[in-house]
Amino acid sequence: MNRLISIVFLLFLLSCSTDRTIVEVSEVENSKLINFQKLNSKSILNITDKNEPGEKLLLCLTFKDKKTGSELIGQKVYLYHTNATGDYQPLVPGDETTARLNGSITSDSSGRAYIETILPGGYGGSEGSGGHIHTTVEGARPEFYNIYFKQYTGFMGRRSVNGSDQFFLADLKMTKENELVSFLTIEVKKP
């Protein structure tokens, strides 16, 4: 009986574990990435420079109206997140929205935006675990949407994401240059 309980407990733990597997982008995804990198300058944002510590992250985002499914053309979006060690380093003490790593972008004629940054660290110095990117979509109701990362979000976090229309789970892939990339559609309410 104790062995059966041990096996059931082990299976439970395995089902709750986070799969950190990151596969390489396919040729189709690589072509898609190249197209995002060619967007107009208003739709490209570099939050970090090459000297920022952490894993380089490329986000290929498409913003859509949740109700109609149409692309949000010229949508203004503000993004901010922690550094690689989980610190916002806000310009205004106590106001995370003034995080050092931040920027604004406007989606293109197809609702697309391309962001270069780093993988945010989780709170309390848990590097690369539980980090997320805050997005504020101007004029939307609600305005706030968060991007979490599948490979760094545990069972409870995934459950929260699945139960919310303001949290999105990005699947990370790896480019041939060893950069993390994710393609994500963010469905916005009442833009």
Side-chain angles (χ1 to χ4, degrees), residues 6-188:
S6 297
I7 291 171
V8 169
F9 181 70
L10 180 62
L11 290 173
F12 172 75
L13 287 178
L14 289 174
S15 70
C16 293
S17 66
T18 302
D19 181 3
R20 296 198 186 253
T21 304
I22 299 175
V23 299
E24 190 172 300
V25 293
S26 67
E27 288 302 317
V28 170
E29 290 167 326
N30 193 55
S31 295
K32 191 174 178 181
L33 171 61
I34 291 167
N35 286 333
F36 269 88
Q37 292 171 327
K38 293 179 181 176
L39 295 179
N40 65 60
S41 61
K42 287 184 179 181
S43 301
I44 293 178
L45 173 64
N46 291 312
I47 293 177
T48 59
D49 63 27
K50 64 181 181 173
N51 297 318
E52 182 72 33
E55 290 185 79
K56 188 167 183 181
L57 173 64
L58 313 174
L59 291 174
C60 300
L61 304 178
T62 303
F63 293 90
K64 290 190 173 188
D65 182 316
K66 184 171 177 72
K67 186 175 182 181
T68 66
S70 60
E71 290 86 8
L72 297 179
I73 299 166
Q75 179 65 58
K76 292 181 181 174
V77 179
Y78 174 70
L79 301 105
Y80 67 95
H81 62 83
T82 63
N83 63 18
T85 61
D87 187 1
Y88 284 102
Q89 298 174 304
L91 298 174
V92 176
D95 184 358
E96 294 171 352
T97 65
T98 65
R100 181 178 63 84
L101 300 179
N102 75 78
S104 295
I105 195 164
T106 302
S107 65
D108 76 349
S109 60
S110 297
R112 299 173 304 167
Y114 174 74
I115 295 97
E116 290 187 5
T117 190
I118 59 156
L119 184 66
Y123 303 131
S126 54
E127 199 168 324
S129 77
H132 54 281
I133 296 177
H134 299 275
T135 49
T136 303
V137 180
E138 186 177 281
R141 295 292 176 256
E143 286 187 321
F144 307 106
Y145 299 86
N146 286 343
I147 301 170
Y148 292 85
F149 301 96
K150 176 183 160 192
Q151 288 84 347
Y152 295 98
T153 303
F155 173 75
M156 293 307 289
R158 288 190 309 271
R159 198 165 170 202
S160 294
V161 169
N162 290 337
S164 172
D165 54 6
Q166 287 179 261
F167 299 157
F168 293 86
L169 197 58
D171 186 16
L172 295 169
K173 305 281 179 98
M174 186 67 69
T175 68
K176 289 177 174 56
E177 294 78 26
N178 291 321
E179 299 168 324
L180 295 172
V181 64
S182 185
F183 304 92
L184 184 65
T185 298
I186 296 179
E187 294 178 322
V188 176

